[in-house]
Amino acid sequence: MFTRVLVMLALVPAAVVMAEPAHAHARPANGFSRQGPWNTKLPRHVPLAANSAAVVENIRLDKVNNYGSWAVNTDEYSTPIFTVGRDTPTQRWTFSDCLNLPELAPVIADSLAAVPTPADLIVSKGTDAQVTIYQPATDTYWDFWRAEKDAAGHWSACWGGKIEHYSRNPGIFANPLGATATGLPMGAFTIRIDELRRGRIDHAVNIATVRTRKDCDSWPATRNDGNTEGADIACEGQRFRLDPAFDVSVLRSPAARTIARAMQEYGLIMTDKAGALVTYAEDPRPSMAANGGVDPYFALMDPDDIVPDGVEKYLILGEIPVERLQALPYDYGRPC
């Protein structure tokens, strides 16, 4: 994930902050600024990249050649999202240095110094072992990558970051922090269980695919781990949308309809490369722990119980035609 990791260690800027307007509206579900790239609706008519069709065709080929599905990552290669109280005990996490880059220790030191760490904290399954923590009382947010707890209960992480003044942040970590290869916070784009329950997602979602363009990052990404040469390969950070003329009512799953509408209204942002074509939704295990072990995605994705439990996440987006995606130009929406 961090093959081109962290190139400006001496130039780590202060957290990116954008001012909020004086008028009040309901906060976006992801909690980041209304003016950031995640929470800004796309106009119906937007410029497309000149090579949009070719870029999208390569994404379609990634789907065809890698399991043939567009999956929703839930408990694997996504993130559990923990909202914690002011009185949650803090812990000084350890920098695990799994990449053998000891020079990064000072860069992440502040993010690890005092992390509110609930006793029931878990990380996503899979080698990324990610976790997201948000503390409303201090308006502070953390993402961690390759996080783990030792036998004594002490936590460590190989990378990640902290965002202060979360509600004023547009949803971009200061380079080179962040748990994704693009420096984009998991909490900005990850689909929430409650969003699927209410049938409304009011932010852009993410897309990750197998081939991303080498040495290419498009705003809002601050870095990339692209692996493939070629002008028609998707760039990490690049924004896409589902063709607004596509009729989402034809989708059988109500959750698929909700996700597809968000893809039309807010778009999708390429946040990482992956082993297949995927979009992320929050890890259900914290919800399951409070709900008798029932995975809420079974009923949300497949309310008529058409497919075996556990298969839903691999099929839910299958009816969305990948070829109806549209690629926007690099750096679309970047503030002047």
Side-chain angles (χ1 to χ4, degrees):
M1 210 162 172
F2 291 102
T3 55
R4 199 171 67 90
V5 185
L6 327 177
V7 292
M8 298 175 64
L9 303 182
L11 298 174
V12 180
V16 181
V17 175
M18 296 176 71
E20 292 280 19
H23 60 278
H25 294 288
R27 289 221 56 80
N30 63 16
F32 283 101
S33 166
R34 288 184 291 271
Q35 277 63 58
W38 307 100
N39 300 328
T40 303
K41 277 191 176 183
L42 293 169
R44 184 169 180 86
H45 300 289
V46 295
L48 301 185
N51 62 342
S52 173
V55 171
V56 169
E57 173 61 10
N58 275 310
I59 295 173
R60 188 191 71 82
L61 289 173
D62 279 356
K63 173 187 173 182
V64 170
N65 295 329
N66 297 275
Y67 307 103
S69 67
W70 184 354
V72 176
N73 284 359
T74 58
D75 58 337
E76 232 179 5
Y77 295 101
S78 179
T79 187
I81 299 173
F82 286 85
T83 301
V84 299
R86 183 185 291 275
D87 57 351
T88 301
T90 61
Q91 184 179 122
R92 179 181 290 275
W93 287 35
T94 299
F95 173 50
S96 64
D97 193 19
C98 70
L99 298 173
N100 194 28
L101 294 168
E103 63 271 24
L104 298 182
V107 181
I108 197 172
D110 183 58
S111 297
L112 299 171
V115 182
T117 309
D120 60 347
L121 192 73
I122 60 171
V123 302
S124 63
K125 292 187 286 186
T127 55
D128 285 347
Q130 296 179 127
V131 64
T132 294
I133 301 169
Y134 173 48
Q135 189 173 53
T138 60
D139 201 28
T140 310
Y141 170 99
W142 293 259
D143 269 348
F144 293 111
W145 178 68
R146 292 195 180 176
E148 62 180 343
K149 181 171 69 171
D150 65 18
H154 185 81
W155 281 89
S156 64
C158 186
W159 202 243
K162 176 178 75 170
I163 294 176
E164 297 177 306
H165 310 296
Y166 167 86
S167 61
R168 288 186 281 145
N169 187 287
I172 306 170
F173 271 105
N175 188 28
L177 297 175
T180 64
T182 50
L184 298 174
M186 301 282 287
F189 54 80
T190 298
I191 298 165
R192 271 67 164 180
I193 293 166
D194 282 346
E195 291 174 325
L196 297 183
R197 285 183 176 136
R198 75 181 185 184
R200 181 77 188 163
I201 298 171
D202 58 0
H203 57 81
V205 299
N206 86 310
I207 185 171
T209 193
V210 179
R211 295 173 298 155
T212 59
R213 188 174 178 184
K214 189 174 181 179
D215 297 327
C216 181
D217 46 74
S218 171
W219 188 84
T222 61
R223 59 181 194 269
N224 73 87
D225 65 348
N227 57 4
T228 304
E229 300 278 3
D232 295 335
I233 300 296
C235 183
E236 291 184 8
Q238 189 167 5
R239 194 162 185 161
F240 296 80
R241 73 164 179 186
L242 177 61
D243 183 351
F246 174 69
D247 183 5
V248 302
S249 70
V250 304
L251 304 176
R252 285 173 289 183
S253 167
R257 295 194 291 270
T258 297
I259 296 169
R261 281 192 292 269
M263 291 175 176
Q264 291 177 323
E265 294 179 356
Y266 292 90
L268 314 88
I269 294 177
M270 186 71 67
T271 57
D272 221 320
K273 67 178 191 290
L277 182 63
V278 295
T279 290
Y280 295 0
E282 72 172 301
D283 192 314
R285 288 176 294 157
S287 173
M288 292 167 65
N291 190 34
V294 177
D295 189 328
Y297 289 118
F298 295 167
L300 289 168
M301 294 182 178
D302 182 27
D304 298 322
D305 202 20
I306 295 171
V307 301
D309 288 349
V311 177
E312 300 90 346
K313 63 184 178 181
Y314 300 108
L315 303 177
I316 180 174
L317 302 181
E319 292 180 299
I320 298 177
V322 175
E323 60 271 18
R324 296 292 294 272
L325 294 180
Q326 299 172 337
L328 276 60
Y330 289 172
D331 292 334
Y332 175 84
R334 182 172 192 153
C336 297

